mmCIF file of all heavy atoms in Angstrom:
data_model
loop_
_atom_site.group_PDB
_atom_site.id
_atom_site.type_symbol
_atom_site.label_atom_id
_atom_site.label_comp_id
_atom_site.label_asym_id
_atom_site.label_seq_id
_atom_site.Cartn_x
_atom_site.Cartn_y
_atom_site.Cartn_z
ATOM 1 N N ILE A 285 0.837 -1.142 0.046
ATOM 2 C CA ILE A 285 0.013 -0.002 0.041
ATOM 3 C C ILE A 285 0.868 1.241 0.031
ATOM 4 O O ILE A 285 1.811 1.338 0.935
ATOM 5 C CB ILE A 285 -0.940 0.005 1.272
ATOM 6 C CG1 ILE A 285 -1.892 -1.177 1.195
ATOM 7 C CG2 ILE A 285 -1.800 1.350 1.282
ATOM 8 C CD1 ILE A 285 -2.737 -1.431 2.345
ATOM 9 N N PHE A 286 0.681 2.024 -1.013
ATOM 10 C CA PHE A 286 1.471 3.240 -1.218
ATOM 11 C C PHE A 286 0.590 4.593 -0.899
ATOM 12 O O PHE A 286 -0.594 4.463 -1.432
ATOM 13 C CB PHE A 286 2.120 3.378 -2.551
ATOM 14 C CG PHE A 286 3.235 2.386 -2.806
ATOM 15 C CD1 PHE A 286 2.967 1.164 -3.196
ATOM 16 C CD2 PHE A 286 4.515 2.797 -2.539
ATOM 17 C CE1 PHE A 286 4.006 0.225 -3.505
ATOM 18 C CE2 PHE A 286 5.563 1.929 -2.686
ATOM 19 C CZ PHE A 286 5.292 0.650 -3.277
ATOM 20 N N VAL A 287 1.109 5.487 -0.359
ATOM 21 C CA VAL A 287 0.398 6.789 -0.250
ATOM 22 C C VAL A 287 1.351 7.900 -0.594
ATOM 23 O O VAL A 287 2.412 8.064 -0.101
ATOM 24 C CB VAL A 287 -0.060 7.040 1.284
ATOM 25 C CG1 VAL A 287 -0.725 8.472 1.362
ATOM 26 C CG2 VAL A 287 -1.159 6.008 1.633
ATOM 27 N N ASN A 288 0.985 8.636 -1.685
ATOM 28 C CA ASN A 288 1.846 9.705 -2.267
ATOM 29 C C ASN A 288 3.302 9.059 -2.695
ATOM 30 O O ASN A 288 4.295 9.633 -2.352
ATOM 31 C CB ASN A 288 2.047 10.801 -1.336
ATOM 32 C CG ASN A 288 0.755 11.561 -1.229
ATOM 33 O OD1 ASN A 288 -0.028 11.595 -2.067
ATOM 34 N ND2 ASN A 288 0.637 12.293 -0.115
ATOM 35 N N ASP A 289 3.231 7.864 -3.194
ATOM 36 C CA ASP A 289 4.419 7.133 -3.627
ATOM 37 C C ASP A 289 5.367 6.818 -2.569
ATOM 38 O O ASP A 289 6.553 6.596 -2.678
ATOM 39 C CB ASP A 289 5.174 8.063 -4.691
ATOM 40 C CG ASP A 289 4.448 8.081 -5.919
ATOM 41 O OD1 ASP A 289 3.689 7.127 -6.301
ATOM 42 O OD2 ASP A 289 4.778 8.989 -6.782
ATOM 43 N N MET A 290 4.874 6.758 -1.289
ATOM 44 C CA MET A 290 5.497 6.282 -0.121
ATOM 45 C C MET A 290 4.988 5.028 0.377
ATOM 46 O O MET A 290 3.774 4.816 0.520
ATOM 47 C CB MET A 290 5.486 7.287 0.971
ATOM 48 C CG MET A 290 6.208 6.933 2.255
ATOM 49 S SD MET A 290 8.033 7.156 1.966
ATOM 50 C CE MET A 290 8.498 6.733 3.620
ATOM 51 N N LEU A 291 5.845 3.946 0.516
ATOM 52 C CA LEU A 291 5.313 2.635 0.974
ATOM 53 C C LEU A 291 4.861 2.733 2.399
ATOM 54 O O LEU A 291 5.473 3.329 3.406
ATOM 55 C CB LEU A 291 6.427 1.751 0.922
ATOM 56 C CG LEU A 291 6.029 0.190 1.378
ATOM 57 C CD1 LEU A 291 5.017 -0.277 0.407
ATOM 58 C CD2 LEU A 291 7.308 -0.652 1.433
ATOM 59 N N VAL A 292 3.512 2.476 2.674
ATOM 60 C CA VAL A 292 2.826 2.536 4.090
ATOM 61 C C VAL A 292 2.991 1.155 4.649
ATOM 62 O O VAL A 292 3.401 1.249 5.903
ATOM 63 C CB VAL A 292 1.472 3.038 3.868
ATOM 64 C CG1 VAL A 292 0.738 3.005 5.209
ATOM 65 C CG2 VAL A 292 1.379 4.426 3.366
ATOM 66 N N THR A 293 2.577 0.243 4.037
ATOM 67 C CA THR A 293 2.634 -1.179 4.626
ATOM 68 C C THR A 293 2.690 -2.143 3.546
ATOM 69 O O THR A 293 2.192 -1.861 2.462
ATOM 70 C CB THR A 293 1.324 -1.449 5.475
ATOM 71 O OG1 THR A 293 1.540 -2.687 6.131
ATOM 72 C CG2 THR A 293 0.030 -1.374 4.816
ATOM 73 N N PHE A 294 3.108 -3.332 3.811
ATOM 74 C CA PHE A 294 3.251 -4.383 2.824
ATOM 75 C C PHE A 294 3.179 -5.716 3.596
ATOM 76 O O PHE A 294 3.429 -5.757 4.782
ATOM 77 C CB PHE A 294 4.504 -4.331 1.990
ATOM 78 C CG PHE A 294 5.807 -4.488 2.835
ATOM 79 C CD1 PHE A 294 6.399 -5.645 2.933
ATOM 80 C CD2 PHE A 294 6.375 -3.302 3.313
ATOM 81 C CE1 PHE A 294 7.681 -5.727 3.720
ATOM 82 C CE2 PHE A 294 7.555 -3.362 3.992
ATOM 83 C CZ PHE A 294 8.162 -4.672 4.206
ATOM 84 N N SER A 295 2.874 -6.784 2.764
ATOM 85 C CA SER A 295 2.858 -8.037 3.329
ATOM 86 C C SER A 295 3.197 -9.073 2.069
ATOM 87 O O SER A 295 2.485 -8.987 1.129
ATOM 88 C CB SER A 295 1.641 -8.491 3.977
ATOM 89 O OG SER A 295 1.568 -9.867 4.270
ATOM 90 N N PHE A 296 4.179 -9.792 2.271
ATOM 91 C CA PHE A 296 4.521 -10.802 1.245
ATOM 92 C C PHE A 296 4.242 -12.273 1.627
ATOM 93 O O PHE A 296 4.733 -13.157 1.051
ATOM 94 C CB PHE A 296 6.042 -10.648 0.817
ATOM 95 C CG PHE A 296 6.319 -9.285 0.268
ATOM 96 C CD1 PHE A 296 7.166 -8.431 0.866
ATOM 97 C CD2 PHE A 296 5.729 -8.927 -0.989
ATOM 98 C CE1 PHE A 296 7.502 -7.213 0.259
ATOM 99 C CE2 PHE A 296 5.993 -7.681 -1.447
ATOM 100 C CZ PHE A 296 6.950 -6.875 -0.788
ATOM 101 N N SER A 297 3.449 -12.386 2.730
ATOM 102 C CA SER A 297 3.117 -13.666 3.176
ATOM 103 C C SER A 297 1.970 -14.234 2.302
ATOM 104 O O SER A 297 1.169 -13.539 1.835
ATOM 105 C CB SER A 297 2.705 -13.748 4.626
ATOM 106 O OG SER A 297 1.507 -12.978 4.678
ATOM 107 N N SER A 298 2.074 -15.646 2.026
ATOM 108 C CA SER A 298 1.099 -16.220 1.273
ATOM 109 C C SER A 298 0.132 -17.044 2.089
ATOM 110 O O SER A 298 -0.535 -17.935 1.641
ATOM 111 C CB SER A 298 1.730 -17.183 0.252
ATOM 112 O OG SER A 298 2.475 -18.157 0.924
ATOM 113 N N GLY A 299 -0.025 -16.606 3.411
ATOM 114 C CA GLY A 299 -0.933 -17.326 4.244
ATOM 115 C C GLY A 299 -2.348 -16.961 3.922
ATOM 116 O O GLY A 299 -2.758 -16.199 3.108
ATOM 117 N N ASN A 300 -3.277 -17.479 4.764
ATOM 118 C CA ASN A 300 -4.710 -17.075 4.566
ATOM 119 C C ASN A 300 -5.093 -15.912 5.406
ATOM 120 O O ASN A 300 -5.534 -15.929 6.559
ATOM 121 C CB ASN A 300 -5.528 -18.332 5.081
ATOM 122 C CG ASN A 300 -5.341 -19.593 4.186
ATOM 123 O OD1 ASN A 300 -5.015 -19.467 3.046
ATOM 124 N ND2 ASN A 300 -5.346 -20.726 4.922
ATOM 125 N N THR A 301 -4.810 -14.778 4.764
ATOM 126 C CA THR A 301 -5.229 -13.467 5.321
ATOM 127 C C THR A 301 -6.471 -13.064 4.654
ATOM 128 O O THR A 301 -6.433 -12.395 3.644
ATOM 129 C CB THR A 301 -4.063 -12.435 5.067
ATOM 130 O OG1 THR A 301 -3.804 -12.406 3.747
ATOM 131 C CG2 THR A 301 -2.790 -12.857 5.825
ATOM 132 N N ALA A 302 -7.595 -13.412 5.211
ATOM 133 C CA ALA A 302 -8.876 -13.075 4.543
ATOM 134 C C ALA A 302 -9.558 -12.064 5.461
ATOM 135 O O ALA A 302 -9.417 -11.972 6.644
ATOM 136 C CB ALA A 302 -9.739 -14.362 4.455
ATOM 137 N N GLY A 303 -10.426 -11.288 4.912
ATOM 138 C CA GLY A 303 -11.357 -10.405 5.572
ATOM 139 C C GLY A 303 -10.697 -9.019 5.550
ATOM 140 O O GLY A 303 -9.620 -8.668 4.974
ATOM 141 N N GLU A 304 -11.290 -8.105 6.225
ATOM 142 C CA GLU A 304 -10.949 -6.747 6.291
ATOM 143 C C GLU A 304 -9.891 -6.484 7.319
ATOM 144 O O GLU A 304 -9.962 -6.988 8.341
ATOM 145 C CB GLU A 304 -12.221 -5.804 6.705
ATOM 146 C CG GLU A 304 -11.906 -4.316 6.576
ATOM 147 C CD GLU A 304 -13.167 -3.468 6.922
ATOM 148 O OE1 GLU A 304 -14.080 -3.655 6.095
ATOM 149 O OE2 GLU A 304 -13.167 -2.804 7.844
ATOM 150 N N GLN A 305 -8.865 -5.715 6.807
ATOM 151 C CA GLN A 305 -7.757 -5.432 7.706
ATOM 152 C C GLN A 305 -7.540 -3.866 7.632
ATOM 153 O O GLN A 305 -8.060 -3.211 6.942
ATOM 154 C CB GLN A 305 -6.490 -6.074 7.133
ATOM 155 C CG GLN A 305 -6.532 -7.564 7.077
ATOM 156 C CD GLN A 305 -5.311 -8.263 6.425
ATOM 157 O OE1 GLN A 305 -4.363 -7.514 6.201
ATOM 158 N NE2 GLN A 305 -5.460 -9.473 6.332
ATOM 159 N N SER A 306 -6.848 -3.398 8.584
ATOM 160 C CA SER A 306 -6.540 -2.008 8.664
ATOM 161 C C SER A 306 -5.056 -1.767 8.931
ATOM 162 O O SER A 306 -4.395 -2.602 9.592
ATOM 163 C CB SER A 306 -7.400 -1.294 9.787
ATOM 164 O OG SER A 306 -6.885 -1.797 11.137
ATOM 165 N N ALA A 307 -4.539 -0.663 8.530
ATOM 166 C CA ALA A 307 -3.188 -0.396 8.613
ATOM 167 C C ALA A 307 -3.080 1.140 9.090
ATOM 168 O O ALA A 307 -3.745 2.074 8.475
ATOM 169 C CB ALA A 307 -2.402 -0.510 7.258
ATOM 170 N N ASP A 308 -2.251 1.391 10.041
ATOM 171 C CA ASP A 308 -2.134 2.793 10.556
ATOM 172 C C ASP A 308 -1.092 3.494 9.755
ATOM 173 O O ASP A 308 -0.024 2.947 9.278
ATOM 174 C CB ASP A 308 -1.558 2.706 12.090
ATOM 175 C CG ASP A 308 -2.638 2.195 12.961
ATOM 176 O OD1 ASP A 308 -3.887 2.382 12.681
ATOM 177 O OD2 ASP A 308 -2.246 1.635 13.947
ATOM 178 N N ILE A 309 -1.413 4.780 9.382
ATOM 179 C CA ILE A 309 -0.485 5.629 8.521
ATOM 180 C C ILE A 309 -0.176 6.762 9.456
ATOM 181 O O ILE A 309 -1.096 7.550 9.742
ATOM 182 C CB ILE A 309 -1.251 6.061 7.289
ATOM 183 C CG1 ILE A 309 -1.758 4.948 6.421
ATOM 184 C CG2 ILE A 309 -0.369 7.012 6.573
ATOM 185 C CD1 ILE A 309 -2.565 5.370 5.330
ATOM 186 N N PRO A 310 1.051 6.874 9.776
ATOM 187 C CA PRO A 310 1.508 8.026 10.652
ATOM 188 C C PRO A 310 1.496 9.326 9.918
ATOM 189 O O PRO A 310 1.590 9.372 8.700
ATOM 190 C CB PRO A 310 2.853 7.668 11.123
ATOM 191 C CG PRO A 310 3.404 6.604 10.256
ATOM 192 C CD PRO A 310 2.172 5.847 9.669
#
């Protein structure tokens, strides 16, 4: 997830991550 071309959060895991998630942006 990028905001203004700055990487905010990422996940490269291939696990079962289903459903709504949230990420804090400082």
Side-chain angles (χ1 to χ4, degrees):
I285 297 176
F286 290 87
V287 174
N288 293 335
D289 292 333
M290 177 74 176
L291 181 65
V292 175
T293 185
F294 63 92
S295 173
F296 295 116
S297 65
S298 60
N300 294 331
T301 56
E304 186 174 295
Q305 299 177 5
S306 64
D308 292 328
I309 302 173

